[in-house]
Amino acid sequence: MLLPELPITASLPAIGAALRRSASAILVAPPGAGKSTLVPLALLGEPWAKGRRIIMLEPRRLAARSLAARMARLLRVPLGGQIGYRTRLDTRVGKDTRIEVVTEGVLTRMLQTDPALEGVAAVLFDEFHERSLQCDLALALALDARRELATDLRIVVMSATLALAALRRILPDAEVIESTLQEYEVAMRYVGTALPLPTDDWPLFMRALQSAVGQAWRETAGDVLVFLPGGGEIRALQNALGDAPFAAEALVLPLYGELDTEAQDRVLERSGTARRIILATNIAQTSLTIPGIGAVVDCGLVRRMIFDPASGMGRLHTERISQAAATQRAGRAGRVADGVCYRMWSAGAQQTLAAQTAPEIAVADLTPLALELLLWGVDDPSRLDWVDVPPPAQLAAAMDLLAGLGMVDSRGRITVHGRNAAHSGAHPRLAHMMLEAASRGDAPLGAELAALLEMDRRGNRQIDAHVRTDIGVVLEWHRRNRAAELRQQSQRLLRRLGAHETAAMPAAAGDATGALLSLAFPDRIARRRDGSASRYLLASGRGASLPPAQSIARNEYLVAVELDGGGADAGIRLAAPLSEAMLRSWHRERITERQIVRWDREQQMVVARAEVRLDALTLEERKLDAPAGDEVLAAMLDGLRQLGVGALPWTPALRQWQARVAFLRRHRADDGWPDVSDTSLRHTLGEWLAPWLDGMTRAAHLAQVPLKSALQSLIGPELSARMDSLAPTHFLAPTGSRSAIDYSDPEQPVVALRLQELFGLEAGPRLAGGTCPLGFVLLSPAQRPIQITRDLAGFWRSGYFDVRKEMRGRYPRHAWPEDPLAATPTRGARRRS
């Protein structure tokens, strides 16, 4: 076999030798080196490949088809013979095919169907630096199959830039072969003033793009390649460039994955001499060779699939590219000669871009991955070799969703329903909907809705966002404007389900649309909130709202197919009406009826209702006339916890009792005095107060609680009998006065009374069985504190004389004897003489 001379040619012998010594190899070669074309062809002649196939994985359908066609031309064989390809929508292979170029999901299906890959000599993972989720998964499965089934499968990882350390960890036997390429100079022109422009400012975005493309057209020769995030931006710029001064000279061609084959070939197979302006997505960044490029205009944006918690699925998201991606895009201008790259951001902003693009496994919806792992027989992802391990939190959320869809049993194993869903090739949510639709006789509509959402999820939007809230409107628009593609996608899904591909497609959506979508999004079933025209509550418990003046808001129930994320209420971007009859019929197994007896904070009373619910949604409720007594008691206790124990009928005497018990608990711990603080009483309401709440249902009834008896039950008769002697309520003064003892400070109880009433008393009593002296707050004749003491005898010996000196002039009619211990105690002043 005579192969053309390309930069990779010099490395082909080393690659072949490496794979004869080992079952793995890592090839690092820059874009344009020819690795995707020549490496699989060169390996066909290896002894270990004789009579067997070589599978090469390509991330994109267009690249897979283009590479297969190029290899077939080099061998001068028809496409689909010795060289073929398989993609999600198209297959060209035959019984004599030796090299198959396949896309990511196809390789995963091949592995799941035949883990040993019988008849396959090698799997080549091309453009591995793109780090798609399916590519990481396929590599992990291929390594596991080779290890467990002891096959001699060769695995080759190829890319321009690679995470070599991580790859060497999972491919320890792999030799690394590096290929170089003649590099031409690419001059950088920074034509922006800040970071790459956001696409939500369409007028500004279009003006900036037109200006940059015009500058590239005037200043360079050759074709101009413009990188844009998606098909919508490509179509908008293509229309805008129709009015440009150079429009008559330029051939403006789009290039993105959803284009038909003929339109893609016009870009990849150059003919004629007219200069071209090629408007491409990230599909042109690697893999594809586009001839004649002299300049690149890079908008700095990319659309990639990330996990959107608001939608519960993977969704295409527009974001800024990384520095590594910017370098690869610029390199497209220097393949065969010096070129120029116009970057629509500033030179300073270049350094603020992320160094590398995050692998998809770190940001993607892992629900499809989790289902594939279960189908493979792996419930612990750590058993496999990963370049980057799937994030545990996202994986756990994915498993919860699969369980909710009936695809995982209580032991965490895949169910028959889960296996069928995995084989459908659709997202598990949509697969569940299609399988349920088929079981109900609605397979065509289920497939059409799944196809519509897959197309919409991948960014194929051409319908105005302001009129697309109702999925019925969106569906009819696609039926009129994209009927062929919608039907093709639907029929593909029907075939995967085993339905006949000529099954009649539905003429109208009808009530079944919302019901079917509610199967895919059971957590998004929504009911309108009372008194609101556009606010809804989702079955998940989250709030959501419709944009103003949406006719779909007339519906009591909706299925919120797409939400926009943040805020107290998520915005509903796409929804379908759902009748209550269909809701009750199609989700009867999830609908529960229960009696709710609870405390109503606003009414401050126990309310009892029978509720019919679907998760967080109340479908129906009615008042209960005779609720169970234990449920009423529990609700009353809950209400009291909310109100606090201060709502009970406390008196000053009961608060003093509470303080006395706290004092004794502090000083007589061994006696077993309980904790009767408000905090403890609140936490133990069910233990001490429940018997006294019989028949009570309102906050007003709490005034009837015999609180003294309830509290006394906490200490029992034995401690209660000892309480007065250990912590008396009053102190009897020498004058016969009874003064209440203040126990608010459990460390030091005190009693307050006039100093003159204590004359003759050498020392105060000791409380708590003699362990704590009673403190005295000594008052002046005007009832103002003049001294606080725990040592009355010491006060008489010293402190009293300072007080006497100061006070007797102020209160001359009161007794201030020189010897207070010999004086007669008195309550009042001396009579006037």
Side-chain angles (χ1 to χ4, degrees):
M1 182 191 313
L2 184 62
L3 299 178
E5 287 289 328
L6 294 174
I8 196 66
T9 302
S11 300
L12 294 179
I15 298 170
L19 290 174
R20 287 190 291 274
R21 290 189 293 266
S22 172
S24 304
I26 299 172
L27 173 60
V28 182
K35 62 182 181 301
S36 304
T37 304
L38 297 192
V39 170
L41 292 174
L43 295 181
L44 275 181
E46 291 295 319
W48 47 263
K50 186 175 181 180
R52 297 196 293 170
R53 290 174 295 153
I54 293 175
I55 306 295
M56 183 166 72
L57 176 67
E58 281 296 327
R60 295 180 174 84
R61 296 193 301 273
L62 174 55
R65 185 178 60 83
S66 174
L67 286 169
R70 190 184 313 157
M71 285 187 282
R73 284 196 300 270
L74 287 174
L75 296 185
R76 295 191 176 99
V77 297
L79 185 60
Q82 191 175 3
I83 309 295
Y85 66 86
R86 295 178 191 264
T87 71
R88 185 166 56 93
L89 300 177
D90 189 17
T91 297
R92 296 281 295 276
V93 297
K95 61 182 179 61
D96 297 323
T97 300
R98 295 286 311 285
I99 296 176
E100 288 187 27
V101 187
V102 304
T103 48
E104 295 166 332
V106 173
L107 178 56
T108 302
R109 292 272 67 76
M110 293 171 72
L111 282 161
Q112 293 281 21
T113 303
D114 178 16
L117 290 180
E118 292 291 340
V120 175
V123 177
L124 281 54
F125 292 84
D126 196 19
E127 306 299 349
F128 191 76
H129 68 273
E130 295 196 12
R131 297 297 311 284
S132 69
L133 178 64
Q134 282 291 330
C135 187
D136 278 14
L137 171 63
L139 178 57
L141 297 185
L143 290 171
D144 190 49
R146 186 172 70 177
R147 179 176 57 248
E148 295 298 328
L149 300 177
T151 71
D152 61 350
L153 181 72
R154 263 68 173 177
I155 293 177
V156 183
V157 178
M158 309 191 302
S159 185
T161 55
L162 289 171
L164 283 177
L167 281 171
R168 281 179 168 143
R169 175 174 49 79
I170 64 174
L171 295 169
D173 62 331
E175 292 189 32
V176 178
I177 301 99
E178 296 194 46
S179 174
T180 59
L181 175 67
Q182 169 70 47
E183 294 186 3
Y184 293 94
E185 182 179 351
V186 178
M188 297 298 166
R189 304 278 194 273
Y190 290 93
V191 296
T193 58
L195 286 166
L197 295 170
T199 56
D200 54 1
D201 191 339
W202 276 98
L204 179 63
F205 186 72
M206 285 296 106
R207 287 196 299 271
L209 279 170
Q210 291 177 68
S211 174
V213 172
Q215 184 179 351
W217 182 266
R218 293 188 305 270
E219 296 178 351
T220 66
D223 296 342
V224 177
L225 174 61
V226 184
F227 280 103
L228 294 161
E233 291 83 358
I234 287 176
R235 289 185 292 270
L237 183 57
Q238 189 173 10
N239 292 333
L241 290 177
D243 299 327
F246 51 83
E249 309 171 41
L251 180 60
V252 181
L253 298 174
L255 181 63
Y256 54 94
E258 305 303 324
L259 278 180
D260 60 64
T261 301
E262 183 180 348
Q264 293 173 350
D265 288 343
R266 282 200 298 270
V267 177
L268 302 179
E269 300 173 5
R270 200 180 198 288
S271 61
T273 58
R275 288 182 69 188
R276 305 182 301 171
I277 298 175
I278 299 165
L279 311 180
T281 61
N282 219 36
I283 197 172
Q285 185 171 307
T286 55
S287 300
L288 294 176
T289 297
I290 303 175
I293 302 299
V296 165
V297 176
D298 187 357
C299 75
L301 300 171
V302 65
R303 191 160 290 142
R304 63 193 301 239
M305 196 72 70
I306 66 169
F307 178 59
D308 180 7
S311 70
M313 295 176 65
R315 170 157 214 91
L316 284 173
H317 174 70
T318 303
E319 61 186 32
R320 296 184 177 101
I321 61 173
S322 65
Q323 294 182 39
T327 300
Q328 288 181 334
R329 289 182 175 186
R332 286 290 167 177
R335 286 294 179 87
V336 296
D338 293 345
V340 182
C341 178
Y342 297 83
R343 289 175 168 171
M344 295 177 62
W345 59 92
S346 67
Q350 169 69 13
Q351 302 306 313
T352 68
L353 299 178
Q356 299 287 337
T357 304
E360 191 180 7
I361 201 168
V363 297
D365 174 14
L366 298 188
T367 310
L369 174 80
L371 188 58
E372 293 288 356
L373 291 177
L374 291 170
L375 186 63
W376 188 255
V378 170
D379 55 6
D380 180 7
S382 65
R383 285 178 45 195
L384 302 181
D385 293 321
W386 302 91
V387 180
D388 288 284
V389 177
Q394 286 94 311
L395 200 58
M399 291 294 292
D400 288 343
L401 176 58
L402 293 176
L405 296 176
M407 298 180 186
V408 182
D409 64 19
S410 58
R411 298 181 181 180
R413 299 177 303 187
I414 190 169
T415 61
V416 173
H417 183 60
R419 291 182 182 277
N420 293 335
H423 291 310
S424 76
H427 187 282
R429 284 185 183 268
L430 304 183
H432 174 66
M433 175 184 69
M434 290 190 294
L435 290 167
E436 287 293 314
S439 70
R440 299 167 190 265
D442 285 317
L445 178 58
E448 186 180 43
L449 289 171
L452 173 70
L453 292 178
E454 286 283 4
M455 291 165 61
D456 196 51
R457 187 170 63 99
R458 294 178 181 276
N460 302 338
R461 295 178 178 172
Q462 299 178 29
I463 184 169
D464 191 329
H466 295 293
V467 298
R468 68 184 303 278
T469 305
D470 189 338
I471 198 170
V473 176
V474 179
L475 182 58
E476 289 305 316
W477 187 94
H478 278 78
R479 284 173 173 171
R480 291 193 307 271
N481 296 279
R482 308 187 72 185
E485 182 181 359
L486 184 62
R487 183 177 180 84
Q488 181 187 25
Q489 298 263 34
S490 301
Q491 296 292 3
R492 176 183 62 84
L493 291 169
L494 283 171
R495 288 194 296 272
R496 298 298 295 268
L497 287 172
H500 198 276
E501 64 179 279
T502 59
M505 300 308 293
D511 290 342
T513 297
L516 285 174
L517 289 168
S518 73
L519 299 175
F521 301 92
D523 49 332
R524 308 289 182 70
I525 297 172
R527 185 179 188 184
R528 189 169 53 205
R529 295 180 186 269
D530 292 340
S532 174
S534 60
R535 297 183 66 239
Y536 285 78
L537 178 67
L538 303 177
S540 65
R542 188 179 185 189
S545 61
L546 283 165
Q550 294 290 317
S551 60
I552 197 172
R554 292 194 297 265
N555 294 275
E556 180 75 10
Y557 292 94
L558 298 174
V559 182
V561 177
E562 183 183 326
L563 303 170
D564 67 2
D569 281 358
I572 301 175
R573 298 178 60 186
L574 187 62
L578 178 64
S579 70
E580 184 173 356
M582 295 291 270
L583 169 64
R584 287 178 177 264
S585 173
W586 288 41
H587 294 274
R588 64 170 62 93
E589 74 285 351
R590 295 176 54 218
I591 294 175
T592 60
E593 182 170 352
R594 59 177 181 171
Q595 294 185 358
I596 303 296
V597 181
R598 64 177 182 83
W599 178 261
D600 187 296
R601 187 188 298 269
E602 293 184 1
Q603 299 184 65
Q604 293 204 340
M605 62 178 291
V606 176
V607 295
R609 293 192 297 269
E611 291 186 347
V612 178
R613 297 177 65 87
L614 186 146
D615 299 339
L617 301 182
T618 300
L619 308 183
E620 176 188 346
E621 62 180 1
R622 63 181 183 275
K623 184 178 178 181
L624 279 177
D625 294 328
D630 55 345
E631 293 182 353
V632 173
L633 175 59
M636 191 67 190
L637 288 170
D638 183 56
L640 186 51
R641 291 186 192 98
Q642 296 179 38
L643 295 171
V645 295
L648 293 168
W650 290 94
T651 64
L654 289 176
R655 284 299 189 187
Q656 189 200 42
W657 178 92
Q658 182 185 34
R660 291 162 67 203
V661 174
F663 162 73
L664 291 172
R665 176 178 171 82
R666 172 69 183 83
H667 293 274
R668 304 278 298 191
D670 294 342
D671 290 353
W673 295 93
D675 183 356
V676 294
S677 64
D678 279 11
T679 300
S680 178
L681 292 176
R682 180 177 177 275
H683 288 159
T684 59
L685 281 172
E687 301 172 17
W688 66 276
L689 191 62
W692 312 92
L693 295 179
D694 186 38
M696 297 186 183
T697 59
R698 298 174 178 271
H701 293 166
L702 295 175
Q704 305 169 21
V705 171
L707 185 56
K708 180 177 180 181
S709 298
L711 291 172
Q712 290 284 355
S713 68
L714 284 167
I715 63 173
E718 182 179 344
L719 291 179
S720 183
R722 299 175 58 196
M723 192 169 176
D724 285 345
S725 62
L726 295 173
T729 60
H730 290 77
F731 168 72
L732 184 62
T735 58
S737 298
R738 294 182 75 252
S739 299
I741 299 175
D742 180 1
Y743 289 91
S744 58
D745 179 359
E747 289 290 338
Q748 180 57 68
V750 293
V751 63
L753 71 170
R754 289 188 183 92
L755 180 150
Q756 283 80 6
E757 292 197 59
L758 296 175
F759 288 161
L761 181 64
E762 185 173 358
R766 301 182 70 84
L767 309 178
T771 62
C772 179
L774 176 65
F776 291 93
V777 179
L778 304 177
L779 306 178
S780 70
Q783 300 285 333
R784 295 188 180 94
I786 54 177
Q787 187 81 25
I788 299 176
T789 182
R790 297 178 64 186
D791 180 8
L792 190 61
F795 171 74
W796 295 135
R797 288 194 302 270
S798 58
Y800 168 75
F801 298 102
D802 292 333
V803 170
R804 175 177 181 270
K805 182 177 181 181
E806 180 181 352
M807 292 287 117
R808 67 178 181 170
R810 188 179 303 176
Y811 302 103
R813 295 183 56 242
H814 289 75
W816 302 98
E818 291 187 6
D819 184 359
L821 290 176
T824 301
T826 178
R827 295 180 183 176
R830 293 190 295 264
R831 293 182 180 180
R832 293 182 183 274
S833 57

